Amino acid sequence: MPASQPPLPRSDIVTRLRAAGCVFAEDEAQLLISAARTPAELAAMVAQRAAGLPLEHVVGWAEFCGLRIAVDRQVFVPRRRTEFLVGHAIALARQASAACAEGAVVVDLCCGSGAAGAAVAAALGERIELHAADIDPAAVRCARRNLAASVQVHEGDLYDPLPAALRDRVDVLIANVPYVPTGEVGLLPPEARIYEQRVALDGGADGLDVLRRVTAAAPLWLAPGGHLLAETSEQQAPQAAGILARGGLIPRVASSSEMNATVVIGTRQAGCRRFRAGS
Ligand SMILES: C[S@@+](CC[C@H](N)C(=O)[O-])C[C@H]1O[C@@H](n2cnc3c(N)ncnc32)[C@H](O)[C@@H]1O
């Protein structure tokens, strides 16, 4: 729809969005005007956004690492701070890829829309073997839309659906698991609390239960010298690093105050492979 002829004057849209509590009402109005194909669609989009639906669910996509990622209703909206984790994942995958002619093996566990895996794939091109997995069927469907047909997207609980052939071979294990403590889920903004699935947010009593489960099995899947990366809050980071250490990984914490992001990285000791083909 031409932005020059909106059926609703732009100023009215801004006023409506602002009244609904949208902090970036001007930017959002512009995005809705350019996304709507018809005047009726624009009116519907403005109404949905004013009612609280996340902007990304209204337009059907989110910008992430310079990519346009499709985000279906109910599916977790990739957060900009996760670009920090992805930056580390790309650097580690590049190192692994440079060290091995076959390219790096990357797994995006708890993939949601598949945004993290898509960004790593965009950065490394064909030099990775990428797998993604999520327990939520809606997320799996969405990830399949965002990831190339060559990427295997698996449905199931954590590692359960991954092919056994990946054991001992994963160079970079991205696990942006849910990490909100159960008692704090109710304090999240309505966009998350109402429109995203609880399974995408709730990390158990201290927010670290899913990370504990991911870490416990990580040494079985990581290649020697391979890395597990997980986002946490700043407060959780010391405890999360302890979980990685107790899981047999060498932990480190990276943070960015600019992006309000904290990532824990656990590295498996370089050494002998645990499984060998044919053994
Ligand atoms: C915080 S969201 C992150 C999604 C995506 N990685 C991103 O960064 O946008 C967590 C995701 O973990 C998935 N999840 C939660 N528990 C899971 C489990 N036990 N096994 C697999 N996926 C799980 C949720 O469905 C959700 O998509």
Side-chain angles (χ1 to χ4, degrees):
M1 190 187 67
S4 55
Q5 298 172 330
L8 292 170
R10 184 189 150 90
S11 57
D12 285 11
I13 299 174
V14 172
T15 304
R16 194 150 166 215
L17 295 180
R18 198 166 277 142
C22 300
V23 180
F24 302 106
E26 295 266 356
D27 294 341
E28 293 200 10
Q30 187 53 48
L31 188 61
L32 294 178
I33 289 167
S34 50
R37 286 161 299 189
T38 64
E41 192 175 33
L42 177 60
M45 284 178 158
V46 172
Q48 288 166 346
R49 182 63 187 129
L53 193 67
L55 182 66
E56 295 82 355
H57 286 157
V58 174
V59 296
W61 57 272
E63 193 186 325
F64 186 80
C65 291
L67 302 175
R68 186 176 278 209
I69 301 291
V71 189
D72 298 335
R73 303 270 167 107
Q74 310 266 307
V75 174
F76 185 86
V77 175
R79 309 298 203 255
R80 295 306 285 264
R81 68 170 158 272
T82 304
E83 294 180 354
F84 183 66
L85 180 154
V86 169
H88 283 275
I90 289 171
L92 293 168
R94 276 213 177 99
Q95 280 174 19
S97 172
C100 170
E102 293 155 24
V105 177
V106 178
V107 172
D108 184 0
L109 206 61
C110 297
C111 66
S113 64
V120 175
L124 274 95
E126 307 212 322
R127 286 180 296 140
I128 57 168
E129 175 185 341
L130 175 63
H131 294 254
D134 202 284
I135 200 167
D136 173 16
V140 170
R141 278 194 299 276
C142 190
R144 287 190 176 130
R145 290 174 61 201
N146 285 314
L147 293 164
S150 58
V151 179
Q152 294 185 48
V153 185
H154 312 275
E155 182 182 325
D157 184 29
L158 299 184
Y159 304 93
D160 284 358
L162 296 182
L166 282 179
R167 286 189 175 201
D168 221 27
R169 286 187 56 227
V170 180
D171 297 298
V172 176
L173 177 59
I174 299 168
N176 190 20
V177 299
Y179 60 88
V180 181
T182 302
E184 294 177 24
V185 172
L187 307 176
L188 291 172
E191 275 105 333
R193 190 165 33 84
I194 300 172
Y195 296 102
E196 292 178 329
Q197 307 261 33
R198 196 170 180 109
V199 71
L201 306 169
D202 191 341
D206 64 357
L208 296 170
D209 281 356
V210 188
L211 179 64
R212 279 188 191 87
R213 293 183 57 217
V214 169
T215 304
L220 292 175
W221 296 89
L222 288 175
H227 312 276
L228 161 66
L229 298 93
E231 196 173 275
T232 68
S233 70
E234 194 183 346
Q235 295 76 11
Q236 290 167 328
Q239 210 186 333
I243 290 169
L244 298 183
R246 283 191 294 283
L249 304 176
I250 304 162
R252 73 182 164 99
V253 176
S255 52
S256 162
S257 50
E258 194 188 330
M259 297 177 78
N260 189 25
T262 302
V263 174
V264 290
I265 303 173
T267 302
R268 188 182 154 195
Q269 297 263 8
C272 297
R273 288 193 180 263
R274 200 175 301 271
F275 298 96
R276 289 182 194 284
S279 64

